[in-house]
Amino acid sequence: MNLHFHSDQQEKANRWAGNMLMFHYLPPTAVNTTLRLRDLRASMIPLNISAYIIPATDAHLSEYIAPRDARLAWMSGFTGSAGTAVITQNKAVLWTDSRYWIQAERQMDCNWELLRDGEEQYENIFDIYNTNLAPAGRILKSIPDNLVDKIWTNRPPLPPDNPTHLPDSVIERTWPMKVDQIRAQISDNPYKPTAVLLSALDETAWLFNLRGNDIPFNPFFYSYTLLSMDEIWLFVHTERITEELKVYLNTTCYHSYCVQLLEYSSVRSYLQSYLQRPNMRVWVGTEYTNQALYELITPEDKLLTSTYSPVLTTKAVKDATEQRILKEAHVRDAVAVMQLLMWLEKKVPEGTENELTAAHFVDQCRSKQKNSRGPSFETISASGPNAALAHYSPSNETARKLSVDEMYLVDSGGQYLDGTTDITRTVHWGKPTDFQKEAYTRVLMGNIEISRAIFPAGTRGVNMEMLGRRALWEVGLNYGHGTGHGVGNYFGVHEWPVGFQSNNIPFQEGMFTSIEPGYYKENDFGIRIEDIAVTVPATTKYGNNYLTFETVSLVPYDRKLINTSLLSPEQLHWLNKYYETIQSVVGRELERQGLKEEYDWMMKHTAPFLTAGASAVISSITLLVTVLPSVLLHNLL
């Protein structure tokens, strides 16, 4: 039977049929983006835009962004932290890397096409785009208005909280001291910049020892800074700067240590006016400077670039106070993670807990610790096949019940007034398969090999990264994410430019990094072991100026998953020494907090492993003494 439709009837019928098709095949986690794409495409036509690019970041190129800046998520439904969308009049495509391929497939509807991207990063992606578009006769241009914002009618508002300054107890360097450090680098630079532009949110927060609440999980506030040798301009929402902060920043004076407050939205116009002065040259870090500001700094002789600004490279090396308090924060954090693991051991066999309740429980445990300021990111609490998604976080719709028959991965962290934490542990409460044990042990071997490495100061992390993969490579296994990232003092949980990727800076003493190899078997299980470590001097037989890592995450690994026969004597020795440190350092904190049950749990799970040539009898006696309750042990002695 043939049916005839007028054009409007045909359009309705096609839309109805398309919606029915989407309803039939669309997973419950996906978002219907039909109307949003229609409105965006309509706004592109009068501007003669053939393709519109939407990144996953904000104007500061942040990894974690405020809800009001989640334009890619609103347009596509994809909520991962890395991705780029391109929308034309007849196509919508999203690129993301391997961490998020499965997540993107679950979250995007049939309007979107997923293209699997690598993890390459570029100093100026705008220039890369232009170079690649040129042969096709296409030109990439920036426009003053964001088209997504124009159609996003219920866009979240600016958070109401005011910035605050850190207490003196957690500060070694005052903000004028930090200004002096950066000005010294401006002065010493042979290319003679007159000012440095700070665009990353953590740059301004670090420089002035300020914290805010504009970005979920990250204590930042919307800001830019322009710092010259004799002036300081801070671009913020000025109505949020309290009288106390104005005094703290010396905003009423005009010498070189006085901060001139300017409205956040005026940064572009003020930068233009600064550049109109004679002989001005602005230093920018290309990794975090957006195109709208970057393109203003013309002609070329007014621009000086480096991958990272001097603030980011200076901030990467923690001073003595920052090192001490960041270690202290990790000790208290270990207590919270141990409480989670002990609780799960009890509750999972009862069949009453799921991924979401576990995530909530570890947040509650951290909230009870001194100086707690909430989680540092959304907890990755994943069991069975969900753990095969490297960045999965549970929801009411997706949370699976925890079972003794499946592996469980929990990647979580806390913000404390004195530090930021990030730790991953993978456990099994039943009987793991031989393959699961081998995969877990080989991931642990990679973690240990990096942790015990000794290397010359100034070695780049990318040159050591394979140590984390070698044990996996030997049997044909691998993982599709980076091996580590920096971490801050009450800052971002992923703090650049420290880490093991090609665009990270060389390691120096006092840098903190995560070490986190993993393995993921799709639709089955996932393994990741993540610790935070600090670079410290290493004693060598012949050489000086060598470094190694001191692990500051102090939570035992799952004994049930470790096949010690795969470990070398050196790896086993490192593991036993690590457990001795946990017993000593975290043991004191557990006793101080009066947590006897947690203390006994910790001692049981940090019992020494039998080393080659050691007496099995001696080892079993050591194990017996180790797991005895502390009161009984005291009476025996």
Side-chain angles (χ1 to χ4, degrees), residues 387-388 407 409 424 426 435-441 443-444 481 517-521 525-529:
M407 295 183 76
L409 184 156
T424 307
T426 306
F435 176 64
Q436 288 174 333
K437 289 185 66 173
E438 179 176 0
Y440 180 93
T441 304
V443 171
L444 177 61
H481 56 72
Y519 171 71
Y520 310 89
K521 184 178 180 184
F525 65 88
I527 299 166
R528 186 161 62 253
I529 299 173

PDB file of all heavy atoms in Angstrom, residues 387-388 407 409 424 426 435-441 443-444 481 517-521 525-529:
ATOM      1  N   ALA A 387      33.864  -2.466  35.903  1.00  0.00           N
ATOM      2  CA  ALA A 387      35.253  -2.103  36.204  1.00  0.00           C
ATOM      3  C   ALA A 387      36.128  -2.124  34.959  1.00  0.00           C
ATOM      4  O   ALA A 387      37.240  -1.594  34.973  1.00  0.00           O
ATOM      5  CB  ALA A 387      35.820  -3.047  37.265  1.00  0.00           C
ATOM      6  N   ALA A 388      35.639  -2.720  33.886  1.00  0.00           N
ATOM      7  CA  ALA A 388      36.386  -2.693  32.626  1.00  0.00           C
ATOM      8  C   ALA A 388      36.331  -1.322  31.969  1.00  0.00           C
ATOM      9  O   ALA A 388      37.071  -1.056  31.019  1.00  0.00           O
ATOM     10  CB  ALA A 388      35.846  -3.754  31.671  1.00  0.00           C
ATOM     11  N   MET A 407      35.289  -9.271  40.828  1.00  0.00           N
ATOM     12  CA  MET A 407      36.295  -8.308  41.264  1.00  0.00           C
ATOM     13  C   MET A 407      35.642  -6.934  41.417  1.00  0.00           C
ATOM     14  O   MET A 407      34.650  -6.623  40.763  1.00  0.00           O
ATOM     15  CB  MET A 407      37.447  -8.248  40.266  1.00  0.00           C
ATOM     16  CG  MET A 407      38.227  -9.543  40.171  1.00  0.00           C
ATOM     17  SD  MET A 407      39.630  -9.434  39.046  1.00  0.00           S
ATOM     18  CE  MET A 407      40.779  -8.499  40.046  1.00  0.00           C
ATOM     19  N   LEU A 409      36.668  -2.695  41.831  1.00  0.00           N
ATOM     20  CA  LEU A 409      37.675  -1.637  41.721  1.00  0.00           C
ATOM     21  C   LEU A 409      37.103  -0.361  42.315  1.00  0.00           C
ATOM     22  O   LEU A 409      36.003   0.055  41.943  1.00  0.00           O
ATOM     23  CB  LEU A 409      38.054  -1.430  40.258  1.00  0.00           C
ATOM     24  CG  LEU A 409      39.149  -0.431  39.899  1.00  0.00           C
ATOM     25  CD1 LEU A 409      39.777  -0.803  38.539  1.00  0.00           C
ATOM     26  CD2 LEU A 409      38.651   1.010  39.825  1.00  0.00           C
ATOM     27  N   THR A 424      43.661   3.991  44.224  1.00  0.00           N
ATOM     28  CA  THR A 424      42.832   2.930  43.645  1.00  0.00           C
ATOM     29  C   THR A 424      43.247   1.585  44.224  1.00  0.00           C
ATOM     30  O   THR A 424      44.445   1.271  44.266  1.00  0.00           O
ATOM     31  CB  THR A 424      42.965   2.876  42.120  1.00  0.00           C
ATOM     32  OG1 THR A 424      42.717   4.171  41.570  1.00  0.00           O
ATOM     33  CG2 THR A 424      41.974   1.888  41.525  1.00  0.00           C
ATOM     34  N   THR A 426      41.943  -2.640  43.997  1.00  0.00           N
ATOM     35  CA  THR A 426      41.099  -3.656  43.371  1.00  0.00           C
ATOM     36  C   THR A 426      41.103  -4.882  44.274  1.00  0.00           C
ATOM     37  O   THR A 426      42.172  -5.326  44.710  1.00  0.00           O
ATOM     38  CB  THR A 426      41.631  -4.022  41.978  1.00  0.00           C
ATOM     39  OG1 THR A 426      41.763  -2.825  41.193  1.00  0.00           O
ATOM     40  CG2 THR A 426      40.692  -4.983  41.279  1.00  0.00           C
ATOM     41  N   PHE A 435      43.719 -16.476  36.003  1.00  0.00           N
ATOM     42  CA  PHE A 435      44.028 -15.356  35.114  1.00  0.00           C
ATOM     43  C   PHE A 435      43.870 -14.026  35.845  1.00  0.00           C
ATOM     44  O   PHE A 435      44.678 -13.111  35.679  1.00  0.00           O
ATOM     45  CB  PHE A 435      43.141 -15.384  33.876  1.00  0.00           C
ATOM     46  CG  PHE A 435      43.345 -14.201  32.967  1.00  0.00           C
ATOM     47  CD1 PHE A 435      44.559 -13.982  32.333  1.00  0.00           C
ATOM     48  CD2 PHE A 435      42.326 -13.276  32.762  1.00  0.00           C
ATOM     49  CE1 PHE A 435      44.764 -12.890  31.508  1.00  0.00           C
ATOM     50  CE2 PHE A 435      42.515 -12.176  31.940  1.00  0.00           C
ATOM     51  CZ  PHE A 435      43.739 -11.979  31.310  1.00  0.00           C
ATOM     52  N   GLN A 436      42.822 -13.881  36.649  1.00  0.00           N
ATOM     53  CA  GLN A 436      42.642 -12.649  37.414  1.00  0.00           C
ATOM     54  C   GLN A 436      43.811 -12.417  38.357  1.00  0.00           C
ATOM     55  O   GLN A 436      44.304 -11.292  38.486  1.00  0.00           O
ATOM     56  CB  GLN A 436      41.323 -12.717  38.178  1.00  0.00           C
ATOM     57  CG  GLN A 436      40.093 -12.589  37.301  1.00  0.00           C
ATOM     58  CD  GLN A 436      38.797 -12.804  38.058  1.00  0.00           C
ATOM     59  OE1 GLN A 436      38.766 -13.509  39.083  1.00  0.00           O
ATOM     60  NE2 GLN A 436      37.709 -12.226  37.568  1.00  0.00           N
ATOM     61  N   LYS A 437      44.277 -13.456  39.007  1.00  0.00           N
ATOM     62  CA  LYS A 437      45.414 -13.315  39.916  1.00  0.00           C
ATOM     63  C   LYS A 437      46.678 -12.930  39.152  1.00  0.00           C
ATOM     64  O   LYS A 437      47.442 -12.065  39.604  1.00  0.00           O
ATOM     65  CB  LYS A 437      45.642 -14.625  40.687  1.00  0.00           C
ATOM     66  CG  LYS A 437      44.594 -14.931  41.731  1.00  0.00           C
ATOM     67  CD  LYS A 437      44.933 -16.173  42.538  1.00  0.00           C
ATOM     68  CE  LYS A 437      46.183 -15.978  43.385  1.00  0.00           C
ATOM     69  NZ  LYS A 437      46.418 -17.127  44.296  1.00  0.00           N
ATOM     70  N   GLU A 438      46.882 -13.557  38.007  1.00  0.00           N
ATOM     71  CA  GLU A 438      48.082 -13.218  37.245  1.00  0.00           C
ATOM     72  C   GLU A 438      48.018 -11.782  36.736  1.00  0.00           C
ATOM     73  O   GLU A 438      49.006 -11.036  36.826  1.00  0.00           O
ATOM     74  CB  GLU A 438      48.273 -14.172  36.067  1.00  0.00           C
ATOM     75  CG  GLU A 438      49.510 -13.805  35.252  1.00  0.00           C
ATOM     76  CD  GLU A 438      49.820 -14.763  34.125  1.00  0.00           C
ATOM     77  OE1 GLU A 438      49.067 -15.748  33.959  1.00  0.00           O
ATOM     78  OE2 GLU A 438      50.811 -14.530  33.405  1.00  0.00           O
ATOM     79  N   ALA A 439      46.870 -11.393  36.205  1.00  0.00           N
ATOM     80  CA  ALA A 439      46.739 -10.019  35.701  1.00  0.00           C
ATOM     81  C   ALA A 439      46.945  -9.014  36.830  1.00  0.00           C
ATOM     82  O   ALA A 439      47.654  -8.010  36.663  1.00  0.00           O
ATOM     83  CB  ALA A 439      45.366  -9.834  35.055  1.00  0.00           C
ATOM     84  N   TYR A 440      46.339  -9.282  37.981  1.00  0.00           N
ATOM     85  CA  TYR A 440      46.490  -8.373  39.129  1.00  0.00           C
ATOM     86  C   TYR A 440      47.958  -8.302  39.553  1.00  0.00           C
ATOM     87  O   TYR A 440      48.491  -7.211  39.792  1.00  0.00           O
ATOM     88  CB  TYR A 440      45.634  -8.865  40.288  1.00  0.00           C
ATOM     89  CG  TYR A 440      45.718  -7.990  41.524  1.00  0.00           C
ATOM     90  CD1 TYR A 440      44.799  -6.966  41.740  1.00  0.00           C
ATOM     91  CD2 TYR A 440      46.723  -8.179  42.464  1.00  0.00           C
ATOM     92  CE1 TYR A 440      44.881  -6.157  42.860  1.00  0.00           C
ATOM     93  CE2 TYR A 440      46.818  -7.369  43.590  1.00  0.00           C
ATOM     94  CZ  TYR A 440      45.894  -6.364  43.790  1.00  0.00           C
ATOM     95  OH  TYR A 440      45.980  -5.559  44.897  1.00  0.00           O
ATOM     96  N   THR A 441      48.599  -9.450  39.659  1.00  0.00           N
ATOM     97  CA  THR A 441      49.991  -9.465  40.116  1.00  0.00           C
ATOM     98  C   THR A 441      50.891  -8.719  39.143  1.00  0.00           C
ATOM     99  O   THR A 441      51.813  -8.000  39.549  1.00  0.00           O
ATOM    100  CB  THR A 441      50.474 -10.909  40.301  1.00  0.00           C
ATOM    101  OG1 THR A 441      49.594 -11.594  41.200  1.00  0.00           O
ATOM    102  CG2 THR A 441      51.887 -10.946  40.861  1.00  0.00           C
ATOM    103  N   VAL A 443      49.997  -6.233  37.199  1.00  0.00           N
ATOM    104  CA  VAL A 443      49.748  -4.802  37.407  1.00  0.00           C
ATOM    105  C   VAL A 443      50.520  -4.323  38.639  1.00  0.00           C
ATOM    106  O   VAL A 443      51.150  -3.252  38.624  1.00  0.00           O
ATOM    107  CB  VAL A 443      48.239  -4.535  37.563  1.00  0.00           C
ATOM    108  CG1 VAL A 443      47.990  -3.089  38.010  1.00  0.00           C
ATOM    109  CG2 VAL A 443      47.515  -4.799  36.246  1.00  0.00           C
ATOM    110  N   LEU A 444      50.484  -5.106  39.714  1.00  0.00           N
ATOM    111  CA  LEU A 444      51.225  -4.755  40.927  1.00  0.00           C
ATOM    112  C   LEU A 444      52.719  -4.695  40.648  1.00  0.00           C
ATOM    113  O   LEU A 444      53.419  -3.791  41.147  1.00  0.00           O
ATOM    114  CB  LEU A 444      50.928  -5.774  42.020  1.00  0.00           C
ATOM    115  CG  LEU A 444      51.690  -5.590  43.344  1.00  0.00           C
ATOM    116  CD1 LEU A 444      51.357  -4.245  43.972  1.00  0.00           C
ATOM    117  CD2 LEU A 444      51.366  -6.730  44.309  1.00  0.00           C
ATOM    118  N   HIS A 481      45.401   3.788  29.204  1.00  0.00           N
ATOM    119  CA  HIS A 481      45.419   5.123  29.809  1.00  0.00           C
ATOM    120  C   HIS A 481      46.832   5.446  30.270  1.00  0.00           C
ATOM    121  O   HIS A 481      47.741   4.605  30.198  1.00  0.00           O
ATOM    122  CB  HIS A 481      44.434   5.213  30.979  1.00  0.00           C
ATOM    123  CG  HIS A 481      44.643   4.186  32.057  1.00  0.00           C
ATOM    124  ND1 HIS A 481      45.705   4.215  32.928  1.00  0.00           N
ATOM    125  CD2 HIS A 481      43.923   3.089  32.398  1.00  0.00           C
ATOM    126  CE1 HIS A 481      45.629   3.203  33.771  1.00  0.00           C
ATOM    127  NE2 HIS A 481      44.556   2.487  33.449  1.00  0.00           N
ATOM    128  N   PRO A 517      49.342   1.718  36.930  1.00  0.00           N
ATOM    129  CA  PRO A 517      49.095   0.770  35.848  1.00  0.00           C
ATOM    130  C   PRO A 517      47.777   0.031  36.054  1.00  0.00           C
ATOM    131  O   PRO A 517      47.203   0.051  37.153  1.00  0.00           O
ATOM    132  CB  PRO A 517      50.290  -0.183  35.948  1.00  0.00           C
ATOM    133  CG  PRO A 517      50.700  -0.113  37.382  1.00  0.00           C
ATOM    134  CD  PRO A 517      50.429   1.302  37.821  1.00  0.00           C
ATOM    135  N   GLY A 518      47.304  -0.623  35.018  1.00  0.00           N
ATOM    136  CA  GLY A 518      46.037  -1.344  35.128  1.00  0.00           C
ATOM    137  C   GLY A 518      45.895  -2.393  34.036  1.00  0.00           C
ATOM    138  O   GLY A 518      46.774  -2.562  33.185  1.00  0.00           O
ATOM    139  N   TYR A 519      44.781  -3.080  34.073  1.00  0.00           N
ATOM    140  CA  TYR A 519      44.407  -4.006  33.012  1.00  0.00           C
ATOM    141  C   TYR A 519      42.882  -4.127  33.016  1.00  0.00           C
ATOM    142  O   TYR A 519      42.268  -4.197  34.089  1.00  0.00           O
ATOM    143  CB  TYR A 519      45.023  -5.400  33.200  1.00  0.00           C
ATOM    144  CG  TYR A 519      44.452  -6.387  32.217  1.00  0.00           C
ATOM    145  CD1 TYR A 519      44.783  -6.304  30.866  1.00  0.00           C
ATOM    146  CD2 TYR A 519      43.530  -7.351  32.611  1.00  0.00           C
ATOM    147  CE1 TYR A 519      44.227  -7.173  29.936  1.00  0.00           C
ATOM    148  CE2 TYR A 519      42.967  -8.237  31.691  1.00  0.00           C
ATOM    149  CZ  TYR A 519      43.314  -8.125  30.357  1.00  0.00           C
ATOM    150  OH  TYR A 519      42.752  -8.965  29.442  1.00  0.00           O
ATOM    151  N   TYR A 520      42.277  -4.173  31.811  1.00  0.00           N
ATOM    152  CA  TYR A 520      40.824  -4.174  31.694  1.00  0.00           C
ATOM    153  C   TYR A 520      40.403  -5.205  30.646  1.00  0.00           C
ATOM    154  O   TYR A 520      40.804  -5.120  29.487  1.00  0.00           O
ATOM    155  CB  TYR A 520      40.321  -2.772  31.303  1.00  0.00           C
ATOM    156  CG  TYR A 520      40.905  -1.709  32.202  1.00  0.00           C
ATOM    157  CD1 TYR A 520      42.119  -1.097  31.876  1.00  0.00           C
ATOM    158  CD2 TYR A 520      40.285  -1.365  33.399  1.00  0.00           C
ATOM    159  CE1 TYR A 520      42.691  -0.157  32.725  1.00  0.00           C
ATOM    160  CE2 TYR A 520      40.850  -0.428  34.252  1.00  0.00           C
ATOM    161  CZ  TYR A 520      42.060   0.168  33.913  1.00  0.00           C
ATOM    162  OH  TYR A 520      42.627   1.084  34.764  1.00  0.00           O
ATOM    163  N   LYS A 521      39.631  -6.165  31.075  1.00  0.00           N
ATOM    164  CA  LYS A 521      39.083  -7.164  30.166  1.00  0.00           C
ATOM    165  C   LYS A 521      37.630  -6.799  29.915  1.00  0.00           C
ATOM    166  O   LYS A 521      36.790  -6.874  30.820  1.00  0.00           O
ATOM    167  CB  LYS A 521      39.187  -8.570  30.752  1.00  0.00           C
ATOM    168  CG  LYS A 521      38.717  -9.642  29.774  1.00  0.00           C
ATOM    169  CD  LYS A 521      38.863 -11.045  30.355  1.00  0.00           C
ATOM    170  CE  LYS A 521      38.385 -12.081  29.349  1.00  0.00           C
ATOM    171  NZ  LYS A 521      38.428 -13.451  29.914  1.00  0.00           N
ATOM    172  N   PHE A 525      36.073  -7.737  33.780  1.00  0.00           N
ATOM    173  CA  PHE A 525      36.600  -7.146  35.010  1.00  0.00           C
ATOM    174  C   PHE A 525      37.636  -6.090  34.665  1.00  0.00           C
ATOM    175  O   PHE A 525      38.098  -5.987  33.520  1.00  0.00           O
ATOM    176  CB  PHE A 525      37.209  -8.205  35.932  1.00  0.00           C
ATOM    177  CG  PHE A 525      38.430  -8.895  35.368  1.00  0.00           C
ATOM    178  CD1 PHE A 525      39.699  -8.366  35.562  1.00  0.00           C
ATOM    179  CD2 PHE A 525      38.313 -10.074  34.639  1.00  0.00           C
ATOM    180  CE1 PHE A 525      40.831  -8.995  35.052  1.00  0.00           C
ATOM    181  CE2 PHE A 525      39.436 -10.718  34.116  1.00  0.00           C
ATOM    182  CZ  PHE A 525      40.696 -10.167  34.329  1.00  0.00           C
ATOM    183  N   GLY A 526      37.994  -5.315  35.667  1.00  0.00           N
ATOM    184  CA  GLY A 526      39.038  -4.307  35.513  1.00  0.00           C
ATOM    185  C   GLY A 526      39.930  -4.287  36.735  1.00  0.00           C
ATOM    186  O   GLY A 526      39.485  -4.570  37.854  1.00  0.00           O
ATOM    187  N   ILE A 527      41.204  -3.962  36.506  1.00  0.00           N
ATOM    188  CA  ILE A 527      42.195  -3.890  37.588  1.00  0.00           C
ATOM    189  C   ILE A 527      42.949  -2.581  37.451  1.00  0.00           C
ATOM    190  O   ILE A 527      43.392  -2.210  36.363  1.00  0.00           O
ATOM    191  CB  ILE A 527      43.203  -5.050  37.493  1.00  0.00           C
ATOM    192  CG1 ILE A 527      42.502  -6.407  37.631  1.00  0.00           C
ATOM    193  CG2 ILE A 527      44.299  -4.912  38.554  1.00  0.00           C
ATOM    194  CD1 ILE A 527      43.379  -7.574  37.219  1.00  0.00           C
ATOM    195  N   ARG A 528      43.087  -1.866  38.541  1.00  0.00           N
ATOM    196  CA  ARG A 528      43.998  -0.725  38.596  1.00  0.00           C
ATOM    197  C   ARG A 528      44.544  -0.646  40.017  1.00  0.00           C
ATOM    198  O   ARG A 528      43.803  -0.859  40.987  1.00  0.00           O
ATOM    199  CB  ARG A 528      43.301   0.584  38.203  1.00  0.00           C
ATOM    200  CG  ARG A 528      44.257   1.760  38.106  1.00  0.00           C
ATOM    201  CD  ARG A 528      43.697   2.933  37.295  1.00  0.00           C
ATOM    202  NE  ARG A 528      42.500   3.531  37.846  1.00  0.00           N
ATOM    203  CZ  ARG A 528      41.286   3.363  37.319  1.00  0.00           C
ATOM    204  NH1 ARG A 528      41.119   2.591  36.248  1.00  0.00           N
ATOM    205  NH2 ARG A 528      40.221   3.936  37.855  1.00  0.00           N
ATOM    206  N   ILE A 529      45.827  -0.392  40.123  1.00  0.00           N
ATOM    207  CA  ILE A 529      46.470  -0.173  41.423  1.00  0.00           C
ATOM    208  C   ILE A 529      47.134   1.185  41.345  1.00  0.00           C
ATOM    209  O   ILE A 529      48.065   1.381  40.558  1.00  0.00           O
ATOM    210  CB  ILE A 529      47.500  -1.269  41.740  1.00  0.00           C
ATOM    211  CG1 ILE A 529      46.824  -2.649  41.800  1.00  0.00           C
ATOM    212  CG2 ILE A 529      48.208  -0.970  43.059  1.00  0.00           C
ATOM    213  CD1 ILE A 529      47.794  -3.797  41.949  1.00  0.00           C
TER     214      ILE A 529
END
